[in-house]
């Protein structure tokens, strides 16, 4: 793992390259965290008394309104009038330093319009969203079993949204039926060849978890880098005279960022413990008049998913209704039913690759979050 080299400022001269390196480190950390920003108008600046002979030259902003962005440009005002010369801007420290011959007086007031970095991280928010989605897949997936007896033994009592995969001549999907307090087979004739296998699901979840772990490691490394920079600044405070207050304020800002990261990490744990997915079942009847021949010479019938609450992000499971008659099951087998989804129109097509069904068929359609 690559890390910034440590430097002992007690045994070396404090030079401007060290401050440049500190600025570079803050830039990389803020890039990793992808911090949000806010634009302020008329941020009041307070004069810093370096000594009795050095007053009204350096003006700084309060905590929470430092770490200015260079673009859009910072607007400096003296007594509410915009000025553009005879000063330098410390973007990280949030301060203005006037030239020696242009220092101000006790009655002068300095303010700026500036865009500041916030302690809220877009990167951490994105991680929260991804963990929420993964949690929905992990919590309700009860695994793969050879028989219904194995499933009932392993999970005798389930919750709404729980599902499991069963093997056999035709793989099936079972969901927990809270009304009857039992596992219900919702997939008896649907071809599962287009679905992920248990191994593929496990690998996908593992890869996603690895990505989360990698991001967590990056955040941990960023925290360590922040702490290292804060310690270096503290050790050099006695030797850096004119910039003492600016460095101290930056150190406090870094500590606030670290605290915010810790709180966001706690939020991740709380959300993981509370999340749960739900599924919605719809019963759909298809008569012989609903089947239309398409350009490929086979018959199909459309089901408008958007009318059923489908947004495009859910998983769809459809199969012949559990109460289908023997005639309906025989008709479905002879029809060689299959499915396809048009994401743009949010339409599910049930396709008869075999004989066109001449009787009414009833389907159960599940939308899984």
């Amino acid at each position: 793992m690559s890390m910034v080299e440590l430097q002992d400022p007690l045994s070396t001269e404090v030079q401007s390259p060290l401050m440049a390196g500190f600025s570079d480190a803050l830039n990389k950390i803020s890039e990793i965290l992808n911090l949000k920003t806010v634009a302020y108008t008329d941020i009041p600046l307070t004069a810093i008394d370096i000594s009795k002979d050095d007053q009204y030259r350096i003006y700084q902003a309060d905590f929470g309104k430092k770490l200015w962005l260079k673009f859009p440009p910072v607007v400096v005002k003296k007594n509410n009038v915009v000025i553009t010369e005879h000063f330098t801007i410390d973007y990280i420290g949030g301060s203005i330093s006037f030239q020696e011959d242009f220092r101000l007086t006790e009655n002068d007031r300095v303010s700026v319009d500036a865009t500041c970095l916030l302690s809220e991280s877009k990167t951490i928010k994105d991680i929260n969203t991804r963990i929420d989605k993964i949690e929905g897949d992990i919590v309700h997936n009860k695994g793969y079993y050879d028989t219904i007896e194995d499933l009932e033994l392993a999970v005798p009592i389930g919750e709404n949204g729980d599902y499991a995969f069963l093997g056999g001549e035709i793989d099936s999907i079972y969901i927990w039926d809270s009304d009857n307090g039992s596992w219900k087979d919702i997939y008896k004739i649907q071809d599962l060849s287009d679905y992920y296998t248990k191994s593929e699901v496990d690998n996908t979840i593992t890869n996603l978890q690895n990505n989360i772990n990698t991001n967590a490691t990056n955040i941990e490394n960023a925290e360590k880098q922040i702490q290292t920079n804060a310690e270096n600044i503290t050790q050099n405070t006695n030797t850096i005279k004119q910039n003492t207050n600016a460095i101290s304020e930056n150190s406090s800002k870094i500590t606030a960022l670290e605290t915010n990261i810790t709180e966001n990490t706690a939020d991740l744990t709380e959300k993981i413990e509370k999340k749960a997915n739900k599924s919605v079942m719809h019963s759909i009847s298809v008569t012989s008049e609903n089947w239309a021949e398409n350009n490929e010479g086979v018959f199909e019938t459309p089901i408008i998913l958007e009318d059923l609450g489908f947004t495009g992000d859910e998983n769809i499971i459809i199969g012949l209704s559990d109460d289908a008659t023997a005639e309906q099951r025989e008709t479905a087998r002879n029809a060689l039913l299959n499915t396809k989804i048009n994401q743009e129109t949010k339409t599910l097509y049930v396709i008869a690759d075999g004989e066109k069904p001449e009787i009414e068929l009833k389907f159960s359609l599940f939308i899984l979050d």
Side-chain angles (χ1 to χ4, degrees):
M1 178 182 299
S2 299
M3 297 183 65
V4 176
E5 295 296 330
L6 296 178
Q7 179 178 349
D8 182 4
L10 298 180
S11 62
T12 60
E13 180 182 357
V14 177
Q15 299 177 340
S16 59
L18 177 61
M19 297 304 298
F22 169 69
S23 174
D24 189 36
L26 279 180
N27 181 268
K28 288 182 171 60
I29 291 168
S30 61
E31 181 180 6
I32 291 173
L33 296 178
N34 195 9
L35 299 176
K36 290 187 176 181
T37 61
V38 61
Y40 291 107
T41 301
D42 290 328
I43 301 174
L45 305 187
T46 303
I48 301 175
D49 291 336
I50 302 302
S51 67
K52 291 183 178 180
D53 298 327
D54 190 7
Q55 296 179 326
Y56 309 118
R57 186 173 60 84
I58 301 177
Y59 291 77
Q60 67 174 0
D62 291 335
F63 290 113
K65 293 187 178 180
K66 298 179 181 294
L67 294 177
W68 301 339
L69 298 185
K70 194 169 185 179
F71 297 101
V74 174
V75 178
V76 182
K77 302 176 185 177
K78 172 185 172 183
N79 300 326
N80 294 325
V81 177
V82 175
I83 58 177
T84 59
E85 57 184 357
H86 306 309
F87 61 82
T88 58
I89 301 175
D90 179 357
Y91 294 94
I92 296 177
S95 67
I96 302 297
S97 297
F98 288 91
Q99 296 174 5
E100 184 72 23
D101 295 337
F102 292 90
R103 65 175 65 245
L104 307 186
T105 68
E106 180 181 2
N107 296 325
D108 289 322
R109 296 293 179 264
V110 180
S111 64
V112 298
D113 299 342
T115 300
C116 305
L117 289 175
L118 295 178
S119 58
E120 185 177 353
S121 169
K122 294 180 181 179
T123 297
I124 294 178
K125 183 177 180 180
D126 291 342
I127 292 174
N128 289 343
T129 301
R130 294 180 65 184
I131 288 179
D132 289 346
K133 187 176 186 303
I134 294 171
E135 172 63 14
D137 293 334
I138 295 176
V139 170
H140 291 291
N141 181 3
K142 299 306 177 181
Y144 187 91
Y145 300 89
D146 292 331
T147 65
I148 182 60
E149 290 76 16
D150 292 339
L151 171 58
E152 291 173 341
L153 180 62
V155 189
I157 299 177
E159 298 180 354
N160 284 335
D162 287 351
Y163 63 96
F165 299 93
L166 266 68
E169 182 178 350
I170 298 178
D171 288 348
S172 298
I173 300 174
Y174 279 68
I175 67 167
W176 178 256
D177 187 348
S178 298
D179 294 334
N180 298 322
S182 62
W183 288 99
K184 181 178 180 180
D185 185 358
I186 64 168
Y187 184 67
K188 292 184 176 180
I189 64 170
Q190 182 67 24
D191 182 8
L192 294 180
S193 60
D194 292 335
Y195 290 84
Y196 286 119
T197 65
K198 177 180 181 299
S199 176
E200 291 172 334
V201 171
D202 290 342
N203 289 337
T204 299
I205 293 175
T206 298
N207 290 336
L208 290 174
Q209 189 61 54
N210 289 338
N211 289 337
I212 293 175
N213 292 338
T214 298
N215 287 330
T217 299
N218 290 337
I219 294 175
E220 181 181 358
N221 291 336
E223 290 176 351
K224 292 179 180 179
Q225 184 62 53
I226 292 172
Q227 184 61 36
T228 298
N229 289 330
E231 292 173 356
N232 288 338
I233 293 171
T234 302
Q235 293 170 357
N236 282 289
T237 52
N238 292 330
T239 58
I240 302 176
K241 296 180 180 180
Q242 295 182 352
N243 294 313
T244 298
N245 290 333
I247 294 177
S248 176
E249 290 157 5
N250 285 329
S251 178
S252 299
K253 184 62 179 181
I254 292 172
T255 301
L257 289 174
E258 183 180 8
T259 300
N260 208 291
I261 292 174
T262 302
E263 293 172 353
N264 284 334
T265 302
D267 288 341
L268 292 180
T269 302
E270 182 180 354
K271 289 180 180 179
I272 289 174
E273 293 174 351
K274 292 182 178 179
K275 278 291 180 178
N277 278 351
K278 295 182 179 180
S279 62
V280 179
M281 183 182 77
H282 299 276
S283 295
I284 299 172
S285 295
V286 178
T287 65
S288 60
E289 291 79 9
N290 295 131
W291 297 92
E293 187 172 2
N294 62 21
N295 294 332
E296 299 174 356
V298 298
F299 290 89
E300 63 183 20
T301 182
I303 298 174
I304 308 303
L305 296 176
E306 189 171 17
D307 295 342
L308 306 180
F310 178 76
T311 66
D313 295 328
E314 301 88 349
N315 293 320
I316 300 297
I317 299 175
I318 186 171
L320 203 61
S321 177
D322 212 29
D323 59 355
T325 65
E327 182 183 9
Q328 289 173 326
R329 292 194 297 272
E330 176 67 21
T331 298
R333 283 193 293 269
N334 292 337
L336 300 177
L337 297 181
N338 208 331
T339 61
K340 69 178 181 181
I341 294 180
N342 187 318
Q343 291 286 354
E344 294 183 358
T345 62
K346 295 184 178 59
T347 302
L348 170 69
Y349 290 91
V350 180
I351 302 170
D353 287 322
E355 299 176 2
K356 173 186 175 184
E358 298 295 342
I359 64 173
E360 180 183 13
L361 296 179
K362 293 182 179 180
F363 295 93
S364 293
L365 186 146
F366 290 80
I367 300 178
L368 302 178
D369 287 345

